[in-house]
Every structure is written in C-alpha cells, then in structure tokens.
Amino acid sequence: MLLALSAPGARLAHQTHLATGEVHISGDLVAYRLRVSGHDLAVALGVETDLVTPVPAAVFESRRATLEHYLAARLAVTSGDAPCVADSPLLDDADQPEDLVLVLRYHCPEAVARLSIHYDLFFDLDPGHRSVGRVLLRGGDEPFVFDHSHRRLDVDVRAAR
C-alpha cells in the first residue's frame, strides 16, 4: 500500500472523504472550523499513511510549513474585495481516527459585509471531493456545498442581519 501511494499519479487515485465545516463571522474575524479526514490531509501533504492507522497530530505539526502552504494555496477568504489574513491553523485531533479538525481564523481589513470563500482543498487528490457546511448568521444559517464545479461561496452578511 505504501508503495502504491508513492507511485507517480497515486495522489490522483486517492478517494477523499466528505469534509464538513462551520463558518462564524464576528466583526472583522472569520472563523472556519473544518472537519477533514486525517488520512486525506496526510496524503495531500505527502505524509506516508496506510489509510487505516490514525495519523497523529504531531506528524502534522512537524510539517506545519507544508500544511500552511497547502491551506494558503487552496483556501482563500475575502471580505468584499479585500483578502483576509490567516492565522496559523490550530489542529484538534480529539476525533481521530476518523477526523481531524482544522480551526482556521482569518482577520479581515474591516467588519465583514460580503464574505467570499474560495475552496480548492483535496481536488488535486480527488476531483469528486465534496465539502458541506454552513455559515452561521444572525438571520439564519447559509448552507454551502463545495465540489469540483462549485468552489466559491459568496454571502451577503448584511442581508442576513
């Protein structure tokens, strides 16, 4: 199995699990709590895995620079037309072996009125990947689905108040 993962093109053959997320907005802060398969993230970062044994959080911590680069290249949050700046992600592995939770915090230049999220995680591994979730707003939740053909979410935060 490990040889198969290291073979050319093996990353493209990995079938990913459904990712789920919740997005909270508070003033100029966007918090995205994203639940992913630890194995999916390991494969995305080039970490050897047998796809069964849990991947300890320490492995991801040891590859923090690679993790941050992967997230920055494939996940973007903007407020209006201005990019929001990401903090270093926090990792919660309490739900291992199934899931790893990434706690992502973005600081925007001003209070968020129009939120956009561009999601491109895991599509390099599996074009059939999907992520579902909701943006929690005062006027009600805004559900979303990211898939190969829908990679951007736009929410008018003002209209939901």
Side-chain angles (χ1 to χ4, degrees):
M1 174 74 73
L2 291 177
L3 290 175
L5 287 175
S6 62
R11 287 173 46 125
L12 295 175
H14 177 75
Q15 184 174 2
T16 59
H17 296 82
L18 178 70
T20 60
E22 282 190 356
V23 178
H24 302 261
I25 303 165
S26 179
D28 65 348
L29 179 67
V30 176
Y32 191 170
R33 187 171 176 83
L34 182 61
R35 181 179 300 273
V36 301
S37 159
H39 294 290
D40 293 349
L41 190 58
V43 171
L45 300 180
V47 174
E48 289 187 20
T49 173
D50 63 8
L51 302 177
V52 176
T53 307
V55 181
V59 170
F60 297 109
E61 289 295 346
S62 72
R63 298 197 180 200
R64 180 159 285 281
T66 304
L67 171 64
E68 290 178 4
H69 176 70
Y70 182 80
L71 293 172
R74 290 170 176 81
L75 189 62
V77 174
T78 58
S79 175
D81 295 326
C84 302
V85 178
D87 285 347
S88 185
L90 301 175
L91 301 171
D92 178 355
D93 66 345
D95 292 332
Q96 284 274 29
E98 288 81 24
D99 295 321
L100 180 70
V101 176
L102 299 170
V103 181
L104 309 166
R105 294 171 45 104
Y106 295 87
H107 300 274
C108 303
E110 57 188 30
V112 178
R114 284 186 308 121
L115 174 71
S116 293
I117 299 175
H118 181 84
Y119 181 100
D120 210 16
L121 299 176
F122 305 120
F123 294 122
D124 55 331
L125 303 177
D126 178 8
H129 172 71
R130 290 177 25 130
S131 179
V132 299
R134 59 194 177 135
V135 179
L136 304 174
L137 301 164
R138 288 188 183 164
D141 298 349
E142 178 76 26
F144 62 82
V145 176
F146 294 119
D147 61 24
H148 188 67
S149 61
H150 297 96
R151 298 184 188 201
R152 183 180 170 119
L153 169 71
D154 293 303
V155 177
D156 187 346
V157 176
R158 295 171 298 200
R161 292 186 181 176

